[in-house]
Amino acid sequence: MSVAAGALVAASGVSLGLWAASDGDDAFAGSTAASAAERPAGTAPGEGPSPSPTRSYPLSQAPRTIPAVREHTAGRGPGWRPERAHRVVVDDPALADEGRLIAGELKLTYAGEKDDRRDGDLRLELNRDAGANPESYTMTVRGGTVTVGAPGEAGVFYGTRTLKQEIRGAGAAPEGVVRDEPAKQRRGLMLDMARKPYTADWIEDRIRELGDLKFNEIGLHFSDDQGFRIESESHPEIVSEDHLTKAQVKKIVDLAASRHITVVPEIDSPGHLGAVIAAHPDLQLRNAGGGAVRGAIDISQAESAEIVDDLLNEYAGLFPGGQWHLGGDEYQALVVSDPEASFPGLAAAAREKYGSGATVEDLTTGWLNDRAATVRAHDRTPRAWNDGFFRGGSVRAGKDIQVAYWTGKEIGARQPAEYLSEGREVINYNDEFLYYVLGEPLTFVYPTGERIYEQWTPLVLRGTTAVPDRYDDQILGGSFAVWGDLPRAQTQDQVAAGIRMPLRATVQKLWDPDQPELPWTEFRALAGKLG
């Protein structure tokens, strides 16, 4: 939320002349939270009034962006407008991609590394500080130039996103200093492309949208009962006809990396493997009566682990990001009243592996741990859906497996505080607010941006009730999720339109969970203005 130290003067009706009488440099006295100040009509950099901050300019107002900047220190001056003669310069070759991108977007000249300073420059600087949040940044607009500095490349990129929105929304960047950083480190969109395939172009468009909004993660759930949607060399027999090639995925991954977005792959197991089982029916889980269990692989068979690990190892080379989603939810062997009686083969395998008192739950947890070990060997941090973690049992899920909390409706449902009290890290996928389920099956309704904006925070993990503040640091962030349960219910263009405002509301609350300064109607209007 913007700091508004300067607002007291305006609210009390005191003349701005009072600021002129103050001691020291008044160029950065106070802050406000409104639209950008503009250069006097008819002037350009170097023409007309001096671009240096003077008392002849009113105190600037903070930029209006999505997500909102967290702090703006106001100044007096004309602000900054992009012009074709202006340069983008960097102080480190690592910032070349960020520099070229913003230069193209604002139609400026990318000049690379330069030591000289010119009127109108946009300067991008790395201020490496091992102790600072690498996604934080400072943007200074003063003396006819803009400087974006950050301890990491991601922070510089986010500073350029703020500048891009300022120019698009108000035509100018206001004089002063923005100091900004996200509250939460994981800010994502998860896309179910297994049930409903999406084109590579559509996914790339979403990545550009996410980047401009300062999201840093896109999850691809590309394997489920209805389809396996990415080319495979280790098991081509499982791939659906409608799928993405590895070349297309590499282009998606590279585009995401250029926007500081991690692509998080998900091959859900041991449930939701119908597309794999269709090509390997001998791996289908069957109950005591011989009945096939839809989507569930028989985890008592060594071949089941081998094929899933083959895929995890294969795709580790395609998805270089540090995150991996293992699924782990809705294994149908565990939704019956007596799993040991219904699935004697699983029960026997559990006892053989973990001892006489072991259960099917223990065997399932062991499966999750083994898959976590597979991705951990590739330096990935594993996560799994919360209903893949069980209370009690002789086998416990690895402590480093992050909890993707989405529901409290499963058999044996556990309150979010149970996971948190165990010291686990959690990512918020609350299905009450953040699940966009095509066709609205069961009790799902399409989420609205307004409801997320006004009622949800990262602490609201289940339903509408927040967990205690003491767990805030363990909640790493959140992710909006699009599920394709009834894939023909919407076209991919309708999906893009339907999630537009929910995405903006979600990132606002992940960037700053406090009560937003703008009412919803103004936030929605701002989103329309910014595009």
Side-chain angles (χ1 to χ4, degrees):
M1 183 176 294
S2 298
V3 176
L8 180 61
V9 175
S12 63
V14 179
S15 166
L16 285 176
L18 185 62
W19 287 103
S22 62
D23 294 330
D25 184 358
D26 69 347
F28 301 100
S31 305
T32 61
S35 59
E38 297 187 2
R39 182 197 314 266
T43 64
E47 299 177 352
S50 167
S52 301
T54 70
R55 295 181 177 85
S56 64
Y57 291 98
L59 203 62
S60 68
Q61 296 181 312
R64 288 279 178 92
T65 60
I66 296 174
V69 301
R70 302 190 72 180
E71 180 182 332
H72 176 254
T73 304
R76 297 180 188 279
W80 181 88
R81 292 177 183 271
E83 298 185 6
R84 287 190 179 275
H86 291 169
R87 307 182 304 174
V88 176
V89 297
V90 300
D91 75 341
D92 192 301
L95 297 176
D97 288 345
E98 288 76 16
R100 289 190 178 97
L101 179 62
I102 190 65
E105 291 168 331
L106 299 185
K107 296 180 172 54
L108 308 178
T109 299
Y110 177 68
E113 294 178 79
K114 299 290 182 183
D115 293 328
D116 65 310
R117 295 177 179 269
R118 296 183 186 175
D119 183 29
D121 276 354
L122 166 56
R123 304 190 63 84
L124 307 183
E125 300 178 348
L126 274 180
N127 309 316
R128 299 187 188 278
D129 180 351
N133 181 345
E135 294 189 311
S136 66
Y137 68 91
T138 300
M139 182 170 67
T140 303
V141 181
R142 191 177 190 188
T145 65
V146 182
T147 302
V148 176
E153 295 165 46
V156 171
F157 174 72
Y158 295 142
T160 67
R161 299 308 88 191
T162 294
L163 181 62
K164 179 182 177 181
Q165 287 195 23
E166 288 176 328
I167 300 306
R168 177 167 237 174
E175 204 87 8
V177 180
V178 168
R179 296 178 180 87
D180 202 14
E181 65 178 348
K184 293 301 179 183
Q185 63 178 266
R186 305 250 55 93
R187 306 177 300 280
L189 165 67
M190 195 229 73
L191 182 66
D192 172 11
M193 55 178 282
R195 293 180 178 93
K196 180 180 179 65
Y198 294 83
T199 65
D201 287 346
W202 189 92
I203 296 172
E204 290 175 11
D205 284 345
R206 299 290 73 69
I207 287 171
R208 295 184 184 94
E209 179 181 13
L210 296 175
D212 281 353
L213 293 170
K214 304 187 178 83
F215 280 90
N216 65 0
E217 185 172 291
I218 182 167
L220 298 181
H221 176 95
F222 64 91
S223 169
D224 212 304
D225 296 341
Q226 295 81 358
F228 193 98
R229 302 294 181 184
I230 296 178
E231 174 188 0
S232 172
E233 287 144 13
S234 67
H235 290 281
E237 74 281 359
I238 70 174
V239 179
S240 303
E241 181 178 355
D242 192 349
H243 67 273
L244 299 181
T245 67
K246 285 190 173 181
Q248 289 175 311
V249 174
K250 185 180 186 304
K251 186 180 175 188
I252 287 168
V253 169
D254 289 346
L255 177 65
S258 75
R259 266 63 174 178
H260 298 276
I261 293 171
T262 298
V263 181
V264 183
E266 182 190 357
I267 299 175
D268 201 346
S269 78
H272 296 282
L273 279 173
V276 173
I277 294 167
H280 294 272
D282 52 314
L283 301 182
Q284 178 99 50
L285 178 65
R286 296 182 179 275
N287 61 26
V293 181
R294 184 174 185 268
I297 204 166
D298 185 349
I299 60 176
S300 69
Q301 296 192 51
E303 293 83 358
S304 295
E306 288 171 6
I307 192 171
V308 173
D309 282 348
D310 284 347
L311 295 167
L312 295 176
N313 287 321
E314 176 182 2
Y315 290 109
L318 186 62
F319 297 101
Q323 305 288 313
W324 201 287
H325 203 316
L326 296 169
D329 63 315
E330 298 180 325
Y331 189 46
Q332 295 302 297
L334 298 175
V335 302
V336 296
S337 60
D338 189 345
E340 286 68 41
S342 296
F343 300 97
L346 297 183
R351 292 190 296 270
E352 180 180 352
K353 188 170 184 178
Y354 298 113
S356 60
T359 65
V360 174
E361 271 193 3
D362 292 325
L363 189 68
T364 306
T365 300
W367 170 279
L368 178 65
N369 285 340
D370 290 345
R371 306 293 78 72
T374 299
V375 301
R376 203 181 288 122
H378 296 284
D379 296 321
R380 306 299 194 268
T381 299
R383 74 180 66 162
W385 299 112
N386 66 283
D387 51 328
F389 297 78
F390 310 113
R391 181 188 291 115
S394 60
V395 182
R396 308 294 290 167
K399 283 288 189 181
D400 68 327
I401 304 176
Q402 297 171 350
V403 179
Y405 196 97
W406 72 282
T407 188
K409 303 179 180 73
E410 75 276 16
I411 294 173
R414 304 164 63 196
Q415 291 290 337
E418 285 195 46
Y419 303 87
L420 294 162
S421 65
E422 294 173 1
R424 294 192 179 277
E425 294 180 323
V426 176
I427 300 170
N428 191 326
Y429 290 77
N430 187 336
D431 65 349
E432 177 80 13
F433 288 93
L434 306 179
Y435 262 36
Y436 192 94
V437 185
L438 297 191
E440 300 180 302
L442 304 175
T443 59
F444 289 108
V445 295
Y446 291 129
T448 67
E450 182 175 10
R451 189 160 180 260
I452 296 167
Y453 190 76
E454 294 181 345
Q455 300 180 31
W456 180 80
T457 75
L459 290 172
V460 180
L461 285 165
R462 174 178 176 177
T464 59
T465 303
V467 298
D469 288 344
R470 66 179 178 273
Y471 294 125
D472 186 50
D473 288 346
Q474 289 173 242
I475 300 173
L476 303 182
S479 182
F480 193 83
V482 178
W483 291 101
D485 290 41
L486 299 174
R488 296 182 180 178
Q490 290 190 343
T491 66
Q492 61 180 17
D493 290 340
Q494 288 173 322
V495 172
I499 67 176
R500 183 176 179 277
M501 287 310 300
L503 282 177
R504 283 151 178 78
T506 299
V507 79
Q508 172 61 46
K509 303 303 279 291
L510 289 169
W511 196 266
D512 184 352
D514 290 344
Q515 181 69 29
E517 185 169 331
L518 294 180
W520 169 252
T521 53
E522 291 185 32
F523 183 84
R524 185 177 58 196
L526 177 63
K529 192 173 186 180
L530 298 180

